[in-house]
Amino acid sequence: MSAVEVRGTTSGVRPGPRRRRWTLPRIGAELGMLVVAAIFLFPFYVFLSVALKTPAEVARSPLAFPTDPALSNFAEAWERGDLGTAMVNSVVVASLSVLMLVAAGSLAAYVLARRGSRLSYGLYLLFLLGLMIPLQLGMVPLYQLMRDLNLLQTYTSLIIFEVGHQLPLAVFLYAGFLRALPKEYEEAARVDGAGPLSAFVRIVFPLLRPVTGTVIILSAINIWNDFLTPLLYVGGSPQQTLPVAIFAFRGEFASQWQIIFAGMGIAIVPILLVYFLLQKYVIKGFASGVKG
Amino acid sequence: MTVTQTRSAVTGGPGTEQQRRRRRPPNVPYLLLVPALVFYAFVVLVPTLSGAGYAFTDWAGRRETPGFVGLDNFTELFAAPAARSALRNTLIIAVSTTVVQTLIGLALALALHSTLASRNVLRTMFFAPALLPPVIIGFLWQYILTPAGPLNDALSSIGLGGLTQNWLGDSSVALASVIGVIIWQNAGLTMVIYLAGLQGVPPELHEAASIDGAGRWQRLRNVTLPLLAPATTIALSLTLIGSLKLFDQVYVMTNGGPGYATETLSVVMYKEAFVSGRYGYSTAIALVLTMIVFAFALLQLRGLRRYEVQQ
């Protein structure tokens, strides 16, 4: 293992690009990974090719590449599925939820991380419990509650749910970060006469920027992709979000897979766009998020 | 912490308070916790507690007053075919996805931590499915796995026609198909966790070990893997808890069928609640699911602690 390894260790530079010869084992490794990747990416090929096929082509061969890309599938899915409305709904719900989540979560974590009392530790554990409890246990009572409050089929019901549901993750991430953050800055501000809230807003919150990025990315993806609760709360209403709208496609377009896939393609464009633009931060966010 | 202290801390408080604070670390008032606590209590705590209570009643759709039925829901659950398969399948899915996904994620991370020219592109690719809505993943694979669909077509065209199956329609392979889809979707997440862990493995340790004559496999076993224990803890917990709660993909791909072959506790619970209107019974199922999640979490915590201590 030899040449590769020895050169790796003697060069001494770690991540950055290293100049290495294209040895036979190395070419083998590259090719091997590319084959693995090709198998892994096969479903994406299917996704794209079906979304671009005419019904006749879909029926003819499931594997062949579309000869005459039918972009009209996308237009049809967009119009008949009213995806524009669903996309606006998803954006509204996700952005308002994330905004409130960041505010409530960072403040809560600030208390829990800075107060060394037994009560604050207990409350911290109570929040963490939310990472484990299956939401199914409270699903029916919460549904009834939302119905009694006349909140079903409104943005409000979904936003309240998403904020509450994502809070444990946000609190966990913020508290972990805050514990490692020196107290001196805010102490200085407090000595200068700032109240706890203004010390938080002016001094602490700006220092939380990296973890705020992680919280935004993780929770935005979770909220954007959420299905079960949006289906229950806003399914079939003009407020329905993208995953719910796509779910309705299956019934509406039965076996017109090209329309279903085109609709699915439209629904994932925003996430993929964000992902490819920010992929470094998304992956880092996931990694540091789960590293705690 | 008293109420007066909280108030004064928020409003700025009298001068004596200010002076006292100078000598103490910042005394953050609990009041700032209230917004989060309200959301969390409304969405998670209160419904969960009342849900746990309803598990012992015969509460059904229109009935105003749920009657206490003791353990009836649970005895029914362990006798009913749908719930029994769901219980079995949930455990099978959880254990198999956790084991296989962790191994695949680890292998991918080790491969892509190296200096392959394509590593950045490949990392991005492998992680992409983990970002997509499970509903969409469900439909995509439902199509891929149809009898005349792309997978069987691909197998036939590379001479593996003997392997073609009715992947989701044959009750002997349907569960395995679902498990495969879940692993495909989430292996990239495990990979990312391990890649983060690998960044914390100091290269000096590897060099020292290889100077001592350790081969590649020995270095992996005795240097890398022990240092990856924290990453393993996180990867295992996330996968396990996630797969125990599995709903979207199954609901979309098979709706629990054929028969009860791919039923999960979440899916049965949903059907009992929102199709049959049996709220009491469905929360009993959810309570069992919750118990299983907690049991696994405890088990894992103890096992991993022992493992980490041994290192």
Side-chain angles (χ1 to χ4, degrees):
Chain A
M1 334 220 101
S2 52
V4 176
E5 287 301 317
V6 172
R7 291 182 65 88
T9 49
T10 48
S11 74
V13 208
R14 261 219 90 180
R18 271 184 275 176
R19 235 171 244 246
R20 303 210 308 182
R21 253 180 309 163
W22 286 90
T23 57
L24 213 57
R26 202 164 159 234
I27 294 172
E30 292 276 358
L31 288 179
M33 274 318 284
L34 288 178
V35 171
V36 172
I39 296 170
F40 183 86
L41 292 175
F42 173 70
F44 286 109
Y45 165 76
V46 173
F47 196 149
L48 193 65
S49 72
V50 172
L52 289 171
K53 279 177 185 175
T54 60
E57 280 179 308
V58 174
R60 205 178 310 131
S61 157
L63 273 186
F65 201 76
T67 43
D68 183 21
L71 290 170
S72 59
N73 291 342
F74 290 93
E76 199 179 339
W78 177 265
E79 268 165 41
R80 286 178 58 194
D82 200 7
L83 290 185
T85 311
M87 192 160 304
V88 170
N89 294 338
S90 278
V91 170
V92 169
V93 169
S95 51
L96 289 179
S97 306
V98 168
L99 209 69
M100 291 163 84
L101 186 66
V102 164
S106 61
L107 275 174
Y110 182 49
V111 180
L112 299 177
R114 282 294 185 257
R115 290 197 69 102
S117 68
R118 200 175 292 175
L119 175 62
S120 72
Y121 187 64
L123 286 170
Y124 175 67
L125 291 183
L126 191 67
F127 273 106
L128 286 202
L129 213 55
L131 291 172
M132 280 186 0
I133 300 174
L135 80 123
Q136 281 90 345
L137 189 50
M139 196 160 69
V140 174
L142 188 58
Y143 178 80
Q144 301 282 337
L145 199 57
M146 293 286 190
R147 199 193 53 189
D148 293 346
L149 294 170
N150 269 325
L151 288 175
L152 291 182
Q153 319 217 323
T154 65
Y155 289 142
T156 316
S157 64
L158 258 192
I159 292 170
I160 292 175
F161 170 81
E162 297 297 357
V163 175
H165 186 49
Q166 298 297 325
L167 260 171
L169 180 68
V171 167
F172 172 67
L173 294 172
Y174 273 123
F177 191 87
L178 272 158
R179 290 215 174 87
L181 195 73
K183 294 180 189 133
E184 279 71 32
Y185 297 105
E186 53 199 274
E187 274 167 8
R190 298 289 290 276
V191 170
D192 289 346
L197 188 59
S198 82
F200 177 81
V201 173
R202 293 193 343 238
I203 311 293
V204 181
F205 190 72
L207 293 171
L208 296 177
R209 198 176 294 156
V211 69
T212 299
T214 303
V215 170
I216 291 176
I217 288 171
L218 291 185
S219 53
I221 290 169
N222 287 343
I223 295 170
W224 188 270
N225 290 347
D226 198 10
F227 169 64
L228 178 52
T229 304
L231 175 70
L232 285 173
Y233 288 8
V234 294
S237 78
Q239 279 72 37
Q240 68 184 6
T241 55
L242 274 170
V244 181
I246 295 298
F247 181 70
F249 266 43
R250 189 69 177 95
E252 199 174 330
F253 300 101
S255 54
Q256 292 176 270
W257 284 106
Q258 72 284 354
I259 304 294
I260 297 172
F261 275 46
M264 291 179 357
I266 293 171
I268 65 170
V269 163
I271 318 175
L272 286 186
L273 214 65
V274 170
Y275 177 49
F276 286 113
L277 286 176
L278 301 174
Q279 57 86 10
K280 225 190 244 170
Y281 305 98
V282 175
I283 291 184
K284 224 182 260 171
F286 266 92
S288 69
V290 292
K291 255 205 300 197
Chain B
M1 185 70 201
T2 65
V3 179
T4 44
Q5 258 179 320
T6 317
R7 291 228 181 94
S8 59
V10 169
T11 54
T16 48
E17 277 283 325
Q18 294 279 352
Q19 275 157 6
R20 277 210 313 167
R21 211 175 285 130
R22 241 165 251 195
R23 277 172 275 116
R24 293 203 285 153
N27 198 2
V28 185
Y30 277 109
L31 203 63
L32 300 182
L33 190 74
V34 169
L37 212 52
V38 168
F39 275 108
Y40 186 56
F42 185 83
V43 174
V44 180
L45 295 179
V46 172
T48 299
L49 285 176
S50 61
Y54 287 127
F56 302 92
T57 68
D58 59 0
W59 189 29
R62 303 262 153 64
R63 287 250 317 265
E64 285 301 312
T65 45
F68 181 77
V69 294
L71 295 175
D72 283 7
N73 287 330
F74 297 91
T75 40
E76 179 181 347
L77 198 156
F78 290 106
R84 276 174 62 165
S85 320
L87 201 59
R88 203 187 103 242
N89 293 340
T90 301
L91 295 176
I92 295 175
I93 292 172
V95 172
S96 56
T97 54
T98 305
V99 172
V100 179
Q101 189 181 308
T102 306
L103 290 175
I104 292 179
L106 177 62
L108 286 176
L110 289 171
L112 296 182
H113 185 62
S114 71
T115 49
L116 289 183
S118 49
R119 63 177 181 170
N120 284 335
V121 181
L122 292 183
R123 283 178 187 184
T124 308
M125 295 295 164
F126 283 119
F127 186 59
L131 297 166
L132 300 187
V135 173
I136 285 179
I137 298 292
F139 281 142
L140 173 60
W141 280 92
Q142 190 188 32
Y143 175 73
I144 291 175
L145 298 175
T146 47
L151 181 59
N152 280 344
D153 205 37
L155 286 173
S156 306
S157 67
I158 56 171
L160 293 171
L163 291 179
T164 55
Q165 306 276 348
N166 185 357
W167 298 99
L168 294 174
D170 177 345
S171 56
S172 61
V173 289
L175 187 62
S177 304
V178 168
I179 291 171
V181 172
I182 301 305
I183 293 171
W184 174 81
Q185 184 174 13
N186 295 319
L189 179 61
T190 309
M191 172 195 76
V192 165
I193 296 169
Y194 273 120
L195 280 171
L198 281 168
Q199 282 176 359
V201 178
E204 296 77 25
L205 279 181
H206 264 261
E207 288 173 31
S210 72
I211 290 168
D212 288 345
R216 180 177 280 208
W217 170 246
Q218 281 177 306
R219 271 177 288 152
L220 177 65
R221 250 196 68 187
N222 299 321
V223 179
T224 310
L225 288 187
L227 287 169
L228 286 179
T232 304
T233 309
I234 292 157
L236 288 180
S237 331
L238 271 187
T239 315
L240 194 59
I241 293 177
S243 59
L244 282 170
K245 301 180 196 170
L246 187 64
F247 176 82
D248 298 6
Q249 293 94 331
V250 173
Y251 183 61
V252 167
M253 272 196 293
T254 66
N255 195 16
Y260 302 124
T262 59
E263 207 76 86
T264 65
L265 284 175
S266 298
V267 173
V268 179
M269 190 258 147
Y270 174 82
K271 287 182 189 167
E272 291 292 351
F274 297 103
V275 180
S276 315
R278 301 187 61 200
Y279 293 154
Y281 181 52
S282 81
T283 43
I285 297 173
L287 188 58
V288 170
L289 175 65
T290 309
M291 293 301 141
I292 294 175
V293 171
F294 278 72
F296 267 108
L298 276 179
L299 211 73
Q300 203 182 18
L301 212 64
R302 296 184 70 183
L304 285 166
R305 198 168 284 159
R306 196 171 304 155
Y307 174 74
E308 282 182 24
V309 165
Q310 266 179 8
Q311 295 309 323

